[in-house]
Amino acid sequence: MDDTRGNRNKKIRSIKRSFDKDKTELENDKNKKIKDDVKSKDRLQKEKNLSNDRRLNKSLNSSKNKGENLKKEVKTRLREKRNKFQNDKYSHLTVAEKREQQKIDKRKRQKRIQYIIVTTLILLIILFLLYMFTPLSRISHVNISGNHNVSDSQVEKELNIKKGSRIYTFSKSKAINNLKKNSLIKDVQINKQLPNTLNVKIIENNLVGIVKDKNKYVPIIEGNKKLDNYNGDIANSAPVLEDFKGDNLNRITKALSKMSNETRDMISEIKYAPLQNQQNRVLLYMKDGMQVVGDINTLANKIEYYPQMSQSLAKDSSGHLKTQGYIDLSVGASFIPYNENSSINSKSDQNVRQKTQQETEAKNELQSALNKISEQSDTNN
């Protein structure tokens, strides 16, 4: 009984294995067929695309050839019409008369060309004379650029443009030489622009400061050059330097030379104000009303951050500081509020105390903004 059951199980397992094998073969055949179908489809698609490309290229070439053939045909027809017209024109004439008529036509064409040339020349001469002897050639516009410290009126005076000056008689070299006599001017470029405009570009020496000498102000230009004999006006004044002499004047001039033009233009006046322990101390009066304390040795680098410092300070709607004070750049960068019993010239500039909690909070807020700028300044230095 057990043997019979075992044989039956073996047969069942054998049948099952055979069934699984057949199933696997069927699936493999099915997958293979699917792959073959996909490959055949891809091949057909590629052949179709290739055929379309060939057809497209063929159509393009044919259209191109058609266009070229059409051009050739048009040219040929025009040539035929021209020849036909000429033949018709001379068809009723004999050979000798035809040659004579062709000579006459040729002379007519030559005369027509001559008339056109002569007429054009006459018109050009008339236009030239009109320009030369009418107000059109008189200098009526002068565009001056690049001047900051030399006024437009000074430039126009040296150009020596009179009421009847004409653009074609104006001497550029003479005007340039006259302008270069001004010590503040380094170079000049003058261009004539028809019909009646002069474009004047001024390149100035870098004006770094102004020193009061007796009853006049003397400019100092780049290279620490003092223009003692300068008698002209200064349209856009550089910082006025007070109480600087000898070596201190040279040092502050060098510091100003290192500053950018934008930063230097923000300074109205610089005053030498040493203290017992601060011999390099200077006071700066800015054009926006702020006051700055600095050191000659570090001023050139630290003052470059002044625009950021000024913007970080809280101001009211009228542009005035909510907490009155000054910026101290002598050591780091800090904002010092004013005290009722102290001034900017006192010896305790960095030890001023506030009497109200509101002022203390304002000071802390402003100081935090300036500390960031101070850290950036120290890093760059």
Side-chain angles (χ1 to χ4, degrees):
M1 186 72 177
D2 292 335
D3 293 338
T4 304
R5 188 178 298 170
N7 291 332
R8 188 184 300 165
N9 290 336
K10 286 181 180 179
K11 288 181 179 180
I12 291 171
R13 284 195 296 271
S14 176
I15 292 169
K16 187 176 181 181
R17 281 196 298 271
S18 177
F19 177 77
D20 291 339
K21 185 177 180 181
D22 293 340
K23 185 179 179 181
T24 303
E25 289 178 354
L26 287 172
E27 288 179 353
N28 291 335
D29 292 340
K30 185 178 180 181
N31 292 333
K32 186 176 180 182
K33 187 176 181 181
I34 291 171
K35 289 181 180 179
D36 292 339
D37 291 341
V38 171
K39 287 182 179 179
S40 62
K41 286 181 180 179
D42 291 341
R43 186 168 58 255
L44 290 173
Q45 185 64 35
K46 287 181 180 179
E47 291 177 355
K48 186 177 180 181
N49 292 337
L50 184 61
S51 177
N52 290 335
D53 291 341
R54 288 175 179 172
R55 194 180 298 110
L56 181 61
N57 290 332
K58 188 175 180 181
S59 62
L60 289 173
N61 291 331
S62 63
S63 61
K64 186 177 180 181
N65 293 331
K66 285 181 181 179
E68 292 177 354
N69 294 333
L70 183 62
K71 287 181 181 179
K72 290 180 181 179
E73 186 177 352
V74 170
K75 288 181 180 179
T76 304
R77 288 182 180 179
L78 289 173
R79 193 182 301 111
E80 289 175 353
K81 284 183 178 181
R82 186 164 56 251
N83 293 334
K84 185 179 179 181
F85 174 76
Q86 290 178 353
N87 293 331
D88 291 343
K89 184 178 179 181
Y90 304 116
S91 60
H92 63 285
L93 302 175
T94 62
V95 176
E97 291 175 343
K98 181 179 178 180
R99 290 178 180 174
E100 185 65 25
Q101 187 62 39
Q102 286 177 342
K103 290 180 181 179
I104 293 171
D105 292 342
K106 186 177 181 180
R107 284 196 294 271
K108 286 181 179 180
R109 285 196 300 271
Q110 290 176 346
K111 286 184 178 180
R112 194 180 301 116
I113 294 171
Q114 290 173 356
Y115 289 150
I116 292 172
I117 294 173
V118 171
T119 304
T120 304
L121 288 174
I122 291 172
L123 287 174
L124 289 174
I125 292 170
I126 291 172
L127 290 174
F128 180 73
L129 293 174
L130 286 173
Y131 176 72
M132 291 279 287
F133 300 104
T134 60
L136 188 62
S137 62
R138 292 176 185 169
I139 299 174
S140 58
H141 302 286
V142 180
N143 300 323
I144 302 172
S145 62
N147 58 316
H148 301 287
N149 302 305
V150 181
S151 63
D152 289 350
S153 60
Q154 285 181 280
V155 175
E156 291 174 355
K157 181 180 178 181
E158 297 301 332
L159 290 173
N160 194 25
I161 298 174
K162 298 178 181 178
K163 189 175 181 180
S165 297
R166 297 188 181 273
I167 192 76
Y168 55 86
T169 60
F170 178 78
S171 175
K172 293 198 298 183
S173 59
K174 186 177 179 180
I176 290 172
N177 290 333
N178 289 339
L179 285 167
K180 282 187 175 181
K181 291 177 182 178
N182 190 317
S183 303
L184 294 179
I185 296 177
K186 181 188 291 185
D187 196 11
V188 183
Q189 296 175 2
I190 300 177
N191 295 317
K192 295 180 181 180
Q193 181 180 337
L194 296 177
N196 50 22
T197 301
L198 280 181
N199 295 318
V200 182
K201 184 178 180 181
I202 305 294
I203 302 173
E204 295 182 336
N205 285 309
N206 203 7
L207 182 63
V208 297
I210 300 173
V211 179
K212 189 173 182 180
D213 186 6
K214 296 180 180 179
N215 295 326
K216 68 174 184 177
Y217 287 96
V218 178
I220 301 175
I221 61 174
E222 54 189 333
N224 201 18
K225 185 177 179 181
K226 193 175 178 182
L227 306 179
D228 293 310
N229 298 323
Y230 184 77
N231 295 318
D233 297 328
I234 301 175
N236 186 18
S237 299
V240 177
L241 308 179
E242 287 192 12
D243 300 330
F244 288 95
K245 295 179 181 179
D247 183 58
N248 288 329
L249 179 60
N250 294 333
R251 290 164 62 201
I252 192 63
T253 303
K254 289 180 181 178
L256 287 168
S257 299
K258 294 178 182 178
M259 297 179 192
S260 64
N261 292 333
E262 293 76 12
T263 303
R264 191 167 53 245
D265 288 343
M266 299 176 73
I267 306 172
S268 175
E269 182 181 346
I270 303 178
K271 186 176 182 180
Y272 181 55
L275 296 177
Q276 185 175 0
N277 298 325
Q278 294 177 315
Q279 292 300 312
N280 296 319
R281 185 173 178 270
V282 292
L283 300 180
L284 285 76
Y285 298 91
M286 312 303 288
K287 291 181 180 178
D288 61 1
M290 283 291 297
Q291 294 183 5
V292 179
V293 176
D295 186 285
I296 296 177
N297 296 328
T298 60
L299 182 64
N301 293 328
K302 290 187 176 182
I303 197 64
E304 292 294 332
Y305 298 97
Y306 175 76
Q308 299 165 261
M309 297 177 187
S310 179
Q311 291 175 5
S312 67
L313 299 175
K315 299 178 182 178
D316 56 24
S317 58
S318 61
H320 297 96
L321 291 175
K322 290 184 178 180
T323 303
Q324 295 298 315
Y326 62 94
I327 295 175
D328 191 345
L329 300 179
S330 57
V331 180
S334 58
F335 178 78
I336 309 296
Y338 291 136
N339 191 312
E340 289 182 359
N341 298 321
S342 66
S343 67
I344 196 169
N345 293 321
S346 68
K347 295 182 180 180
S348 57
D349 286 337
Q350 300 179 17
N351 300 318
V352 178
R353 295 182 178 179
Q354 300 301 313
K355 289 187 176 183
T356 64
Q357 182 64 26
Q358 183 179 3
E359 289 179 340
T360 302
E361 292 175 356
K363 176 184 176 181
N364 293 335
E365 180 182 354
L366 299 172
Q367 189 65 50
S368 63
L370 289 171
N371 286 339
K372 294 179 181 178
I373 300 171
S374 178
E375 291 174 1
Q376 184 180 359
S377 174
D378 293 338
T379 302
N380 293 337
N381 292 335

